Amino acid sequence: MVPINYQVVGEEDYALKISIDDAGAYVIDSGTYTSQPPRKGKLSGAQEQALIDAIKALGLPREHPLPEGATAFEAQLSVGSPGQQANYVFWEGALEEDEQLNVLIRLLERL
């Protein structure tokens, strides 16, 4: 599996962090003002393949900066091993504009 780290910080202490290692083990840390313990698991073969297909379809990152005056819901996505990863920084509203990015993020959020 390709290592993936996804993090988004929203308003009022909302945060979501999803990490997948090269063995397909994942940790999801989602919280609001009432913290929840992290969830852990392992990707199924179908989940791994769907994520790999979505990464390939995404290709090179396009810029999706925060709109002027926005201070929340900036997301960071890194795909690949340290030193070889591609980094994407985008505003979550960009998911409505970038279909390939939307597919990958929705697969992560379904874990």
Side-chain angles (χ1 to χ4, degrees), residues 13-24:
D13 297 330
Y14 169 80
L16 172 66
K17 183 174 183 180
I18 300 171
S19 297
I20 302 173
D21 68 17
D22 58 357

Side-chain angles (χ1 to χ4, degrees), residues 25-45:
Y26 63 83
V27 177
I28 301 170
D29 191 1
S30 60
T32 58
Y33 58 93
T34 57
S35 294
Q36 302 169 356
R39 292 186 296 117
K40 297 179 182 183
K42 180 145 175 64
L43 298 174
S44 69

Side-chain angles (χ1 to χ4, degrees), residues 57-74:
L58 180 60
L60 296 175
R62 295 184 335 174
E63 287 193 32
H64 297 289
L66 269 74
E68 189 173 323
T71 59
F73 296 101
E74 181 178 59

Side-chain angles (χ1 to χ4, degrees), residues 75-111:
Q76 297 178 8
L77 172 69
S78 69
V79 178
S81 300
Q84 300 176 358
Q85 75 261 28
N87 294 304
Y88 305 77
V89 177
F90 59 94
W91 174 60
E92 271 214 322
L95 296 175
E96 296 174 15
E97 303 166 2
D98 190 328
E99 183 179 340
Q100 288 80 19
L101 182 60
N102 188 333
V103 168
L104 177 57
I105 298 305
R106 297 303 175 225
L107 287 170
L108 292 171
E109 290 177 342
R110 285 188 208 130
L111 294 177

